[in-house]
Amino acid sequence: MIRPDVIIIGAGHNGLVCAAYLARAGMDVLVLESGESTGGMAAPRVLNDDYHFPGLAHVTYPISPTIRRDLKLDRFGYAPGKAIDTIALDANGEHLTISANSISGNRLGEADIDAYPEFRKQYLAFANSLSPLFNNKPPRLKDMGLRDTATLARLGWNIRVGLGRESMYEFLRVAAINIYDVLNETFDSEQLQGALAVDAVMGSAMGPRTPGTVLTWLQRLFGELNGAPSLHSGEQLVNALTQSAEDAGAVIRCNTRVRKILVEDSKAFGVELDDGELVKAKLVISNADPRTTFSSLVGAPQLDTMFANRVAQIRGSGVVGKLHLALGGLPEFTGIDPTGLTNRFLVAPSMRYIEHAFNPSKYGECPDNPVLEITLPSTHNNALAPDGHHLMSVNVAFLPYDLDGGWAEQKTTMAYKVISQLERYSPGLKSLIVDHEFLTPRDIENEFDATGGHWHHGELSIHQSFMMRPTYGAAQYDTPIDKLFLCGAGSHPGGGLTGLPGRNAAKRILELGGAK
Amino acid sequence: MTNGNYDAIIIGAGHNGLTNAAFLAKAGLRVLVVEKNAYPGGATVSRELHKGWKYSNCSYVCSLFRPEIYNALDLGRHGLKVIPLVSSMTFKQDGDYFGSYQDPNIRRRELMRHNQRDADAVVRFDADVLRWCKLIRGFLLRTPPDPGSLRPRDAFEFAHLLKKFYELSEDQIYEFIRFFTMSIAEYLENYFENETILAHYSGGSIIGTGLGVYSPGTAYVLLHHAMGDVDGNVGAWGFARGGMGSVSGALASSFQSYGGEIRTDAEVTQILVSGNRVSGVRLASGEEIAAKTVVSNLDAKRTFTKVMDANDIPPALLKRARNFKIRGSSGKLNIALDGMPTFPALPKDSPLTLGHMHFTDTLPRLERAYDDWKDDRWSADPYCDTLIPSQYDPTLAPPGKHMMTVFVQYCPVEPEGGWTDDKRDAFGQTVIDQIAEYSPDFKDLLLHAEIRTPRELENEVGLTEGNIFQGELTFDQLMFNRPFPGYAQYRGPVKGMYMCGSSTHPGGGVMGAPGANSAREILRDLKKPDTTPEEFSDD
């Protein structure tokens, strides 16, 4: 493609979604990816030639039905995975199981068991009421056009009428507060509170007490409206998206790194590659994180000072590490039947435990007792590892990007600390380890060109959400640079394997006239 | 039942109760205020707890008090004189200090001494904060609209709110939302880089809260504390001559000048309900006093869980009241000093001793103090807001001697095992030790220290869990959510029953606004003339 209509920088899943939509709309799309294959953080990784790990996302929700239908993903091999439960591990083997609409466990009281389904239903309803917001560009708050007014009107209707008066009051009450207070009011069991709070904070530099964690939880729940979580890695989704985009005519070049976005007179007209090659296009769309996009690829001299300042101050230092263990056999978990190993496991015995793990990260320190989210992907698909061997994939929360003293010296110690902690729940684990890989937020930054090594390309705090994501002036996917757009997780509605930023960006581009 | 022919009974002679009572009396109602303590004022008091010294033993500075109310109730004539505080400062651990002066030139020079860029940035910072102050102040003396209502009044109020916002430019609207939802640390880091300057301007946002400087929502609390004014000087803090007791004293005097009555040593144990309306109150003595209007100045949790019968209120409301977040986080030391302590870090005759003095010079130290509170411990390295008001108010201490007030974050509602006198004293010692690090003769000059934790605040003043705001200032408990959704317009669940304390909008601090707003609603319901003031225009 000599001169495409559109260049998309980065073939992470949002970039692929955007590419597929624009290609289907008739545009000539060229996607440039610096890595060896598409998928970005969702791309699978191979350890030791034989162990195929999911990317950074090891628990996923089904993709939005609209995207699935519009991009014909089923035709390209996409199917939601088998639903899993969440098991909150207990040091004495008295685990708690959370299924779609019920909970069970020896330590639970009747009151909590009864309260749970209603509570979940309430919060799913809250998440659902936000769907006009998630599925559209975030509305401007002044000088809004018809579309934005429509989004706000539908949102208002959903909240006022859809939820009903009492539910609306409750929603307005809790929307901006912390998950700690909500769970404290609702449940007695510390174990249950801890397990539920994990989903509100995993991936964020927030503890359960941090205001804004109800909102991050609602964002998670929004994904659950599409269906139950599964251990499907992003691989299947990425493959389907890649094929869908290519099927519609998009061209994807891997091993191609963009060095600069070409801008003249505040208008983007193409990109410069690492090897010096210039590729011109009518539109440039960046799936890279906003700081990389504006500070590195565009450069501050091309931008208004206050805008450049706001971008530079975007908060987004990653806090999750990923530990991959290649195992020579199936591990045992005390108190868990081998058939139960297909589920997701949490080490977060209480909210206080989570808060204690979170506190040190504020000061550039590592937790003594980390919060862990564990899966064994090989139990769903034994082709991922050699015969009889297994994979353990672990998210380790609250590892500071800016570790005091640096990661180089402390990485191995931390990995072993996590493994020792895992051994408490899975005796004999150490002896099964064939190999391991440990990605710190710094590693994630380097490997995926994501500033700060943040999953979501920027914190999902309230002040960096909606019409302020990544910052006002660039919150509706277009940017102060004419013909330059954003389509990644750094834009609304943020991270997770949703494809929504990519789709909303494509819609916006088409709304603005496409490549004319 | 005593029939003194009262039209209204106010429960609690704290400053909002007295304000509320004064406006009702001014409108011609026969009003009785009943107070459990032997003295009125609640947390707005001056008390001689050490012979010869007067302590403002709870609230200690005055600034948020609405000038509109000051004028409407003629408080100047009734004895309230506010002296502006002109400085604040923070001691640094390396022996230096940072001072913030009112005079802009001196202020700038001092900022430049620490960081040139910050000295430049403060211009933008001051302008931005002032803009938000002015915007917010317009809402203090107004009843919040109810989002669940279809009444014209509420629709008009929402329209009014929107109109105020739309006077801002689009960028300013986003900046305001960001300000409202960011942490004070992040907000200030948009302007400043010097760690002490950051810490100095952050302290005000954690006062009285269960939040830390890195917690979203704390930037708003800074606003809450900055938006007062003294003599039209926005953001200035002031000191009431004679201590905070002169605020409640002036309010009481004003109230009585309209024919109002105050009874002390009269604790209310029950609000009496008959049919579906209020009929009066019952005191601890058993005496019952009749009135068709009863206004509770007690916090919302206490009101609905202690002095109202569960059968008189909807179960949903009772549940909300039980869950009302009102965790105290503050402690206080009131200290009698044998002379003026020396602070070697300060130059001789520095005016900075006249204003606020702080000892926490970095954000991580402030945040670690909060981490302790989350685990139900008092902060090992506390944040102290310290003043020695006797330097310009001779009524507080004998000649040559001094009175020091120290407000402390953080102090738990209950440490593990509960409060005992020994633990209280250990908490006090932590504070004394910290001050002594910066003043070598401090301990020798210390004659008496009253040490207060949330326990003392609850027992003495009736502030549940020792929360100084009568309820946390988080989004779930602000504006139309304060104290509970559906009950944010001062009316209780029963006809004739109202709330007027800081548990209602606009919240805590010695403002008087909740009392005034509540009076407006009561007078409207009774179809009496509205004696409450409208907010001053800023132009």
Side-chain angles (χ1 to χ4, degrees):
Chain A
M1 206 175 269
I2 314 278
R3 205 201 162 105
D5 291 326
V6 172
I7 290 172
I8 299 183
I9 305 172
H13 86 285
N14 278 311
L16 294 172
V17 167
C18 191
Y21 269 101
L22 294 180
R24 273 169 205 286
M27 295 177 28
D28 284 331
V29 179
L30 172 64
V31 184
L32 302 173
E33 164 59 43
S34 67
E36 284 174 8
S37 60
T38 59
M41 292 188 195
R45 324 166 54 81
V46 184
L47 186 61
N48 240 359
D49 288 333
D50 291 318
Y51 300 86
H52 300 263
F53 284 90
L56 297 189
H58 61 182
V59 174
T60 60
Y61 300 95
I63 196 83
S64 113
T66 314
I67 296 179
R68 186 174 166 187
R69 184 195 60 224
D70 290 347
L71 302 183
K72 305 181 187 350
L73 296 181
D74 287 19
R75 211 206 300 165
F76 301 108
Y78 176 79
K82 177 167 164 283
I84 54 165
D85 289 342
T86 296
I87 298 179
L89 293 172
D90 171 85
N92 298 322
E94 294 194 287
H95 312 305
L96 161 67
T97 303
I98 304 176
S99 309
N101 286 307
S102 64
I103 53 177
S104 61
N106 286 348
R107 293 173 54 198
L108 284 175
E110 281 301 311
D112 283 352
I113 293 176
D114 290 340
Y116 180 75
E118 192 50 48
F119 173 76
R120 217 179 117 79
K121 190 161 155 241
Q122 166 90 296
Y123 277 76
L124 283 170
F126 290 161
N128 192 39
S129 71
L130 295 177
S131 62
L133 189 56
F134 285 127
N135 286 318
N136 287 291
K137 64 182 162 120
R140 284 171 63 176
L141 294 181
K142 209 175 178 183
D143 298 330
M144 55 190 95
L146 273 176
R147 270 182 234 256
D148 285 350
T149 312
T151 303
L152 279 173
R154 281 163 55 208
L155 187 62
W157 179 269
N158 280 2
I159 294 173
R160 181 65 184 88
V161 180
L163 287 179
R165 194 160 175 266
E166 287 313 307
S167 240
M168 174 203 70
Y169 274 143
E170 184 61 8
F171 176 72
L172 290 177
R173 186 181 76 92
V174 301
I177 65 170
N178 60 11
I179 198 73
Y180 177 91
D181 286 339
V182 166
L183 293 177
N184 238 353
E185 278 175 15
T186 317
F187 299 113
D188 294 318
S189 160
E190 277 188 357
Q191 191 187 28
L192 176 63
Q193 293 168 347
L196 294 175
V198 172
D199 278 345
V201 301
M202 182 61 78
S204 297
M206 301 177 186
R209 290 216 187 213
T210 309
T213 40
V214 169
L215 194 62
T216 47
W217 196 47
L218 287 177
Q219 285 172 314
R220 259 272 179 155
L221 283 181
F222 188 71
E224 275 199 59
L225 289 171
N226 297 334
S230 72
L231 288 199
H232 243 38
S233 75
E235 182 174 7
Q236 198 198 58
L237 175 65
V238 166
N239 285 342
L241 287 171
T242 306
Q243 289 176 56
S244 174
E246 288 175 330
D247 179 69
V251 172
I252 303 175
R253 276 171 63 178
C254 292
N255 295 306
T256 308
R257 172 182 242 97
V258 168
R259 177 159 72 199
K260 209 169 127 181
I261 295 173
L262 301 171
V263 175
E264 195 176 324
D265 286 337
S266 268
K267 187 164 149 175
F269 63 95
V271 299
E272 179 182 317
L273 305 181
D274 243 9
D275 61 8
E277 179 190 343
L278 300 184
V279 186
K280 298 198 182 154
K282 296 188 190 139
L283 301 180
V284 177
I285 307 173
S286 175
N287 191 32
D289 72 273
R291 279 178 287 173
T292 299
T293 304
F294 292 114
S295 305
S296 304
L297 300 178
V298 172
Q302 297 285 358
L303 300 165
D304 163 68
T305 310
M306 292 311 288
F307 180 85
N309 197 35
R310 292 201 305 272
V311 168
Q313 288 174 345
I314 289 172
R315 298 279 163 162
S317 290
V319 280
V320 189
K322 197 101 205 292
L323 179 66
H324 292 144
L325 300 177
L327 304 172
L330 186 66
E332 274 179 19
F333 276 82
T334 316
I336 309 271
D337 191 88
T339 57
L341 294 177
T342 53
N343 294 307
R344 158 174 94 133
F345 298 93
L346 302 177
V347 174
S350 69
M351 293 197 292
R352 180 172 277 210
Y353 179 98
I354 302 175
E355 198 75 24
H356 283 173
F358 164 64
N359 282 342
S361 65
K362 296 181 289 188
Y363 314 112
E365 294 161 11
C366 275
D368 284 329
N369 296 300
V371 168
L372 307 175
E373 180 187 61
I374 305 153
T375 65
L376 297 158
S378 47
T379 57
H380 283 251
N381 177 358
N382 50 27
L384 297 176
D387 217 28
H389 287 216
H390 282 278
L391 312 175
M392 185 182 282
S393 168
V394 186
N395 279 343
V396 185
F398 307 132
L399 301 182
Y401 167 80
D402 253 319
L403 178 65
D404 206 20
W407 274 107
E409 313 244 307
Q410 302 180 66
K411 198 167 147 170
T412 318
T413 323
M414 190 65 210
Y416 278 115
K417 178 186 276 192
V418 175
I419 292 168
S420 299
Q421 192 190 16
L422 289 165
E423 265 250 319
R424 279 184 237 140
Y425 299 94
S426 175
L429 179 67
K430 276 185 194 146
S431 61
L432 292 175
I433 300 176
V434 167
D435 202 353
H436 84 275
E437 172 185 48
F438 185 45
L439 296 171
T440 68
R442 287 267 174 188
D443 296 323
I444 293 170
E445 176 181 65
N446 291 335
E447 223 185 281
F448 301 105
D449 287 313
T451 312
H454 199 290
W455 279 6
H456 307 310
H457 286 187
E459 277 293 308
L460 292 174
S461 351
I462 298 177
H463 68 88
Q464 287 184 174
S465 289
F466 313 124
M467 62 291 291
M468 295 167 298
R469 188 173 186 81
T471 183
Y472 56 90
Q476 291 190 322
Y477 315 100
D478 53 319
T479 70
I481 305 286
D482 198 18
K483 309 298 182 193
L484 174 63
F485 295 84
L486 300 172
C487 74
S491 298
H492 174 77
L497 278 183
T498 64
L500 291 173
R503 173 172 167 266
N504 292 352
K507 265 170 72 168
R508 177 74 171 135
I509 289 163
L510 294 170
E511 175 189 307
L512 288 174
K516 285 197 271 285
Chain B
M1 217 190 244
T2 312
N3 207 343
N5 268 324
Y6 296 112
D7 299 311
I9 298 172
I10 317 299
I11 306 173
H15 83 281
N16 275 313
L18 292 171
T19 302
N20 183 272
F23 284 118
L24 295 184
K26 191 174 178 191
L29 271 62
R30 280 209 60 186
V31 186
L32 171 69
V33 175
V34 282
E35 164 59 44
K36 78 171 173 86
N37 285 337
Y39 50 88
T44 310
V45 290
S46 307
R47 302 191 59 209
E48 188 173 9
L49 294 173
H50 183 67
K51 195 157 160 45
W53 270 260
K54 218 188 280 187
Y55 295 163
S56 292
N57 77 339
C58 302
S59 64
Y60 55 101
V61 277
C62 179
S63 138
L64 302 179
F65 200 82
R66 302 314 310 147
E68 299 90 341
I69 299 175
Y70 184 100
N71 280 11
L73 295 178
D74 220 358
L75 295 180
R77 187 165 65 82
H78 288 280
L80 177 58
K81 300 219 174 322
V82 181
I83 309 158
L85 278 167
V86 294
S87 66
S88 60
M89 59 85 57
T90 296
F91 288 101
K92 293 178 63 167
Q93 287 179 297
D94 65 3
D96 194 5
Y97 67 92
F98 167 73
S100 185
Y101 301 83
Q102 199 165 64
D103 178 301
N105 291 324
I106 306 176
R107 186 164 179 240
R108 181 181 167 77
R109 251 205 345 256
E110 171 65 357
L111 278 157
M112 277 177 61
R113 186 167 78 79
H114 293 271
N115 187 300
Q116 167 80 66
R117 287 168 68 174
D118 289 359
D120 291 337
V122 84
V123 176
R124 195 163 47 92
F125 175 70
D126 283 348
D128 287 344
V129 174
L130 185 67
R131 187 186 308 118
W132 311 141
C133 280
K134 285 178 147 189
L135 181 65
I136 283 294
R137 283 184 330 150
F139 298 116
L140 300 178
L141 284 174
R142 300 180 73 94
T143 302
D146 178 353
S149 129
L150 298 167
R151 288 191 306 255
R153 221 193 126 198
D154 291 299
F156 273 132
E157 188 63 21
F158 268 119
H160 175 89
L161 281 178
L162 278 176
K163 179 163 168 282
K164 281 278 167 207
F165 273 103
Y166 273 62
E167 282 165 12
L168 298 173
S169 71
E170 187 179 353
D171 281 6
Q172 285 170 346
I173 292 175
Y174 299 129
E175 279 298 334
F176 180 71
I177 297 174
R178 276 163 51 86
F179 178 72
F180 226 88
T181 54
M182 286 175 92
S183 69
I184 187 64
E186 284 178 330
Y187 188 73
L188 291 176
E189 281 171 356
N190 281 347
Y191 300 92
F192 305 119
E193 42 183 42
N194 176 277
E195 63 175 11
T196 306
I197 293 173
L198 287 167
H200 180 80
Y201 288 116
S202 295
S205 357
I206 48 142
I207 298 251
T209 69
L211 298 169
V213 290
Y214 296 153
S215 305
T218 40
Y220 163 70
V221 181
L222 178 80
L223 192 75
H224 189 90
H225 283 112
M227 65 187 168
D229 56 73
V230 177
D231 287 340
N233 225 322
V234 179
W237 282 92
F239 186 76
R241 195 174 190 283
M244 294 304 282
S246 61
V247 176
S248 47
L251 284 168
S253 169
S254 175
F255 169 57
Q256 286 161 332
S257 77
Y258 297 123
E261 229 179 284
I262 302 177
R263 273 178 64 177
T264 51
D265 287 308
E267 177 174 359
V268 169
T269 51
Q270 174 110 359
I271 295 176
L272 301 170
V273 174
S274 173
N276 69 336
R277 57 169 316 142
V278 111
S279 62
V281 300
R282 180 188 302 130
L283 303 182
S285 60
E287 181 189 349
E288 293 184 357
I289 313 174
K292 290 216 176 85
T293 297
V294 174
V295 189
S296 173
N297 191 33
L298 308 179
D299 65 75
K301 192 166 191 165
R302 186 162 297 250
T303 301
F304 296 111
T305 64
K306 294 241 164 70
V307 300
M308 286 193 85
D309 190 310
N311 294 321
D312 294 333
I313 56 186
L317 177 61
L318 186 58
K319 183 161 177 232
R320 286 223 187 274
R322 288 198 179 119
N323 285 334
F324 190 55
K325 285 155 47 182
I326 196 166
R327 294 162 296 196
S329 61
S330 319
K332 190 133 194 294
L333 268 68
N334 299 299
I335 297 171
L337 294 166
D338 207 14
M340 183 66 190
T342 1
F343 294 97
L346 289 175
K348 193 170 184 307
D349 296 329
S350 166
L352 290 174
T353 58
L354 294 170
H356 297 265
M357 294 189 286
H358 309 121
F359 310 95
T360 311
D361 61 347
T362 70
L363 290 173
R365 279 179 70 195
L366 281 169
E367 184 71 10
R368 286 190 199 272
Y370 172 56
D371 287 346
D372 285 338
W373 180 84
K374 287 191 287 188
D375 283 344
D376 300 319
R377 292 190 303 269
W378 60 83
S379 305
D381 179 20
Y383 169 78
C384 298
D385 184 25
T386 309
L387 287 154
I388 307 176
S390 44
Q391 294 171 87
Y392 39 82
D393 184 347
T395 67
L396 302 180
K401 319 259 184 225
H402 284 283
M403 185 264 152
M404 175 191 269
T405 161
V406 188
F407 183 90
V408 186
Q409 295 285 136
Y410 297 72
C411 192
V413 176
E414 280 209 334
E416 203 176 306
W419 280 111
T420 60
D421 288 354
D422 283 343
K423 285 187 196 158
R424 175 202 65 198
D425 292 343
F427 157 69
Q429 197 58 46
T430 312
V431 176
I432 291 168
D433 288 344
Q434 189 187 72
I435 300 173
E437 276 177 39
Y438 299 87
S439 173
D441 53 4
F442 175 68
K443 282 180 179 172
D444 294 327
L445 293 170
L446 200 154
L447 295 170
H448 172 259
E450 186 210 6
I451 305 169
R452 304 171 62 78
T453 69
R455 175 183 72 155
E456 281 69 31
L457 200 53
E458 174 158 10
N459 291 342
E460 233 180 79
V461 186
L463 288 169
T464 305
E465 297 183 51
N467 183 288
I468 66 174
F469 298 136
Q470 276 202 359
E472 297 172 39
L473 296 176
T474 45
F475 299 121
D476 57 330
Q477 297 186 170
L478 280 176
M479 257 263 164
F480 46 72
N481 285 327
R482 190 168 187 83
F484 320 117
Y487 290 95
Q489 300 184 324
Y490 312 96
R491 291 175 189 82
V494 174
K495 248 184 141 214
M497 188 257 162
Y498 299 83
M499 301 171 279
C500 72
S502 298
S503 282
T504 59
H505 174 79
V510 182
M511 272 202 262
N517 290 348
S518 172
R520 183 185 322 115
E521 296 303 320
I522 295 167
L523 292 170
R524 163 187 252 121
D525 288 353
L526 295 177
K527 300 192 176 29
K528 293 277 185 195
D530 184 7
T531 51
T532 66
E534 267 186 20
E535 73 266 21
F536 286 167
S537 137
D538 268 315
D539 304 311

